[in-house]
Amino acid sequence: MKVFIDANILVAVINKEYPLYTYASRVLSWITTNKHQPVTTSVSLAITFYFAEKKHGTSSAKERIALMAEHLIIADCGKTEVLQAATEKKVKDFEDGLQYFAALNTGCSCIVTENVRDFYFAKIDVLNAKDFLLKFYNRM
């Protein structure tokens, strides 16, 4: 199973932002331990880097992003996704559209984000970290 990980989940993990860190880190751990595939985009990693740099400085943020990227599939977020996000009338937030179409085009089964309502137009499951764990891990 491919699971798309939104930037807010990555930020919580890389910056150890509680209380979300507890759930977000378990999501990533469960996915990799169970041989599933965590997917994100370079856009999400850029957003994550921005917040990591503010908290940890440039050098540490780069190291953290590099380490994180080793464990993630980086989905395409190119011309196809840009055109899909720009032309889909249901998409109000362009960045969310980019993430959604990258997830969809990569074959993700669901999106894990803390901004579930932002993906009201999604045709795949969109879950927050806690709900993902309740659905798949079931041992919190």
Side-chain angles (χ1 to χ4, degrees), residues 55-73:
K55 185 169 184 176
H56 305 287
T58 302
S59 180
S60 179
K62 283 184 175 182
E63 289 173 13
R64 290 165 189 258
I65 291 291
L67 181 62
M68 182 176 272
E70 288 181 21
H71 302 283
L72 298 167
I73 293 171

Side-chain angles (χ1 to χ4, degrees), residues 11-75:
V11 170
V13 171
I14 213 163
N15 283 346
K16 290 190 177 178
E17 294 180 352
Y18 288 92
L20 180 55
Y21 173 78
T22 304
Y23 300 112
S25 61
R26 283 186 189 175
V27 166
L28 291 177
S29 177
W30 183 90
I31 291 168
T32 55
T33 299
N34 289 282
K35 309 291 186 221
H36 297 294
Q37 299 172 307
V39 178
T40 197
T41 62
S42 56
V43 174
S44 286
L45 289 172
I47 293 166
T48 303
F49 175 79
Y50 172 80
F51 288 102
E53 184 180 39
K54 288 177 83 164
K55 185 169 184 176
H56 305 287
T58 302
S59 180
S60 179
K62 283 184 175 182
E63 289 173 13
R64 290 165 189 258
I65 291 291
L67 181 62
M68 182 176 272
E70 288 181 21
H71 302 283
L72 298 167
I73 293 171
I74 312 298

Side-chain angles (χ1 to χ4, degrees), residues 79-132:
K79 185 174 185 173
T80 299
E81 292 74 22
V82 168
L83 291 173
Q84 287 174 305
T87 59
E88 174 56 59
K89 291 177 181 164
K90 293 180 183 175
V91 173
K92 301 296 182 221
D93 183 299
F94 184 69
E95 185 264 334
D96 290 334
L98 289 175
Q99 305 292 29
Y100 171 71
F101 286 111
L104 197 64
N105 295 344
T106 306
C108 291
S109 302
C110 67
I111 296 171
V112 180
T113 181
E114 289 306 297
N115 299 324
V116 173
R117 291 183 181 167
D118 291 352
F119 294 91
Y120 55 88
F121 54 86
K123 295 180 181 174
I124 59 175
D125 283 342
V126 180
L127 304 163
N128 66 31
K130 185 176 181 180
D131 288 343
F132 177 89

